[in-house]
Amino acid sequence: MEVVVRPEELATFRGCAFVPTMGALHDGHLSLIREAKKTDKPVVVSIFVNPEQFAPEEDLDKYPRSLEQDCEFAESVGADLVFAPTVETMYPAEPENIHLPEAATHPQLEDACRPTHFRGVCVAVARLFDLVQPSVTVFGLKDYQQYLVIKQLIEQESKRWSDLQIIGADIIRDDDGLAMSSRNVYLTTDQRSQALGLHKAIRCTSEEAMLEILDDHGLEVEYAVIRDCETLLSPTEGKPTRALVAALLGHIR
Ligand code: AMP
């Protein structure tokens, strides 16, 4: 497996299966790489901690970074190339003024709690798609709103990345039920058991029950809702739904 930083070195990987990440790889990310492998296309993994998607008060400086180990992990599950661009490569000029899809502006979920977040995500992902030119990309359903935002971005920009397909990969959890996340390293043992309230809450069928569980676990709720799984707006009779939760434990979101 190769590790490259310059976009010129991506030329032979056009049409690959592409897994964008911010590094600090864990089994959740590796499952995305395994999904990408199933396409039988060369697999490219990007590692880029994207400053544009962090608000000034967020954890950009503290965000865990472990490039060497990430490359070993990626290789262990069959990635063919790791692309680790610099900020200068990603943003040579002013970031693109991208038109945000509805899922990034209407649902009043992440978009309301982190008003600049999806603009930063979309600008980085668009730039990565331009540089890598994949034919398939894999995103985790753990960040369900993000998955829908990127799905809509691809539909909206269908001429720019023609025939690009998106795969949504299932959430990978630790044995105790907590979804794997690079930020879990910030949790103390006590906070970790509190965080399990998230897993219990998303299996509820009413928002009231979700809020009660989250409160019992001492989680400070940002949102705990059940929404239409395509629009992320209020559920409509007979259409599939998703439970979505964001909560804080101290400063850890
Ligand atoms: P990140 O490095 O946190 O930006 O995540 C990169 C990709 O991995 C995103 O598509 C995430 O949704 C996905 N991901 C992160 N954690 C998990 C998990 N536990 N299960 C499945 N996908 C995940």
Side-chain angles (χ1 to χ4, degrees):
M1 189 193 72
E2 283 178 83
V3 184
V4 304
V5 293
R6 292 184 312 128
E8 302 80 70
E9 294 168 289
L10 294 165
T12 52
F13 286 86
R14 287 200 180 129
C16 65
F18 178 46
V19 181
T21 80
M22 296 207 300
L25 300 189
H26 50 65
D27 280 347
H29 298 111
L30 300 193
S31 82
L32 268 51
I33 300 174
R34 290 193 187 94
E35 278 301 319
K37 281 300 275 185
K38 289 185 196 161
T39 65
D40 282 333
K41 298 176 189 304
V43 174
V44 173
V45 177
S46 67
I47 296 180
F48 179 64
V49 183
N50 173 29
E52 293 289 323
Q53 72 187 68
F54 289 77
E57 72 283 7
E58 291 183 351
D59 57 345
L60 173 63
D61 293 338
K62 276 203 306 168
Y63 196 83
R65 289 164 170 87
S66 51
L67 183 61
E68 213 171 300
Q69 193 187 59
D70 289 347
C71 293
E72 283 171 25
F73 281 177
E75 184 165 30
S76 74
V77 286
D80 296 287
L81 186 83
V82 165
F83 176 47
T86 61
V87 173
E88 291 71 27
T89 297
M90 286 293 288
Y91 303 120
E94 280 296 289
E96 180 184 353
N97 186 15
I98 208 154
H99 176 73
L100 292 181
E102 292 216 329
T105 51
H106 283 51
Q108 296 292 298
L109 301 169
E110 291 300 295
D111 48 309
C113 300
R114 305 173 80 189
T116 58
H117 177 68
F118 282 131
R119 175 162 300 283
V121 170
C122 288
V123 167
V125 171
R127 175 79 176 143
L128 286 168
F129 287 166
D130 285 346
L131 295 173
V132 177
Q133 297 188 33
S135 60
V136 179
T137 189
V138 187
F139 279 77
L141 298 179
K142 177 171 80 75
D143 304 287
Y144 189 72
Q145 187 176 4
Q146 171 175 273
Y147 161 75
L148 282 185
V149 168
I150 302 301
K151 188 167 180 282
Q152 292 182 0
L153 182 71
I154 291 171
E155 284 159 10
Q156 178 184 300
E157 305 278 324
S158 59
K159 291 214 180 76
R160 181 166 169 188
W161 311 301
S162 56
D163 297 328
L164 176 57
Q165 305 291 313
I166 184 166
I167 296 173
D170 285 340
I171 301 174
I172 303 299
R173 297 178 177 281
D174 265 320
D175 290 342
D176 59 5
L178 187 65
M180 291 188 178
S181 164
S182 307
R183 290 191 169 99
N184 289 353
V185 298
Y186 301 153
L187 296 169
T188 63
T189 315
D190 285 349
Q191 284 176 325
R192 207 184 151 95
S193 22
Q194 284 180 271
L196 292 178
L198 294 169
H199 186 213
K200 292 186 187 140
I202 57 157
R203 286 175 294 172
C204 294
T205 52
S206 80
E207 293 179 357
E208 291 74 13
M210 288 166 83
L211 288 170
E212 201 176 309
I213 289 178
L214 294 164
D215 193 46
D216 285 350
H217 285 76
L219 287 150
E220 189 190 322
V221 179
E222 288 202 337
Y223 56 82
V225 294
I226 296 176
R227 294 285 180 87
D228 181 291
C229 74
E230 273 176 31
T231 62
L232 293 187
L233 303 177
S234 297
T236 29
E237 186 80 33
K239 287 193 65 196
T241 54
R242 282 241 161 197
L244 301 131
V245 180
L248 293 163
L249 278 172
H251 294 298
I252 310 167
R253 190 164 186 274

